[in-house]
Amino acid sequence: SLSCRGSGGLAVSGRAAPLTVLPCAALLGRALSTPGAQAQTLAQDAHTSPPATAINWTAQLVEEMYANISQHCWKLFVELMGNVSAPQLCEWSVISRPYSLLQSCLEDWADRLSYGYPNTLAESYIFQSHHHYFHNCTPPHQVLDPPEDVLLAMIIAPICLIPFLVTLVIWRSKDGKAQP
């Protein structure tokens, strides 16, 4: 079960899941829009009231929460990629951290919300990252297949040599037996 925690994070099945980027009220959207709920959140921040009780999450609310969270994951990724210069966009040592953080953020929150991963929304953000940032990245030494006629010659030549070599071995073995 999920519940709002005093530090602005979520509790997922009894374990704390702190959110430094996303305050709990932003995640819950309309669920915490009442003044009483806002006051309760503020009181929890001051550690003057007990933690809120677990909320019964609907699939639609979880999907909406995951959409909001994944958007924040994307914004963090874009912010981190803003520090990467254009020539460095294809260097794995430079982009591995932001890329891994995006993937981890999307996957971890899907797990925390029991939303399932991989999912369509997470895949769209991953594809968007490739399309926007990495579309010009190709291997420096791209291996190409040889032309078809060269490939056929490389395949057929050894096949044609086999009967000739078998004939040569048989002929030499017969010739060797005839000599005393």
Side-chain angles (χ1 to χ4, degrees), residues 122-137:
E123 286 178 358
S124 71
Y125 280 112
I126 297 294
F127 287 136
Q128 187 175 349
S129 72
H130 284 259
H131 179 72
H132 186 71
Y133 292 101
F134 314 123
H135 64 278
N136 287 330
C137 296

Side-chain angles (χ1 to χ4, degrees), residues 69-150:
I69 292 169
S70 61
Q71 188 174 19
H72 286 282
C73 294
W74 174 254
K75 286 179 183 179
L76 177 63
F77 173 74
V78 169
E79 184 180 318
L80 291 171
M81 290 302 290
N83 298 327
V84 178
S85 65
Q88 295 176 318
L89 283 177
C90 296
E91 293 181 33
W92 180 247
S93 61
V94 175
I95 62 158
S96 65
R97 181 182 168 116
Y99 186 81
S100 297
L101 286 174
L102 172 64
Q103 183 179 1
S104 176
C105 182
L106 294 169
E107 185 174 359
D108 290 349
W109 279 106
D111 287 344
R112 289 177 182 175
L113 296 173
S114 300
Y115 188 64
Y117 187 88
N119 57 59
T120 307
L121 190 56
E123 286 178 358
S124 71
Y125 280 112
I126 297 294
F127 287 136
Q128 187 175 349
S129 72
H130 284 259
H131 179 72
H132 186 71
Y133 292 101
F134 314 123
H135 64 278
N136 287 330
C137 296
T138 57
H141 304 292
Q142 190 172 2
V143 179
L144 298 173
D145 288 335
E148 191 173 317
D149 54 343
V150 173

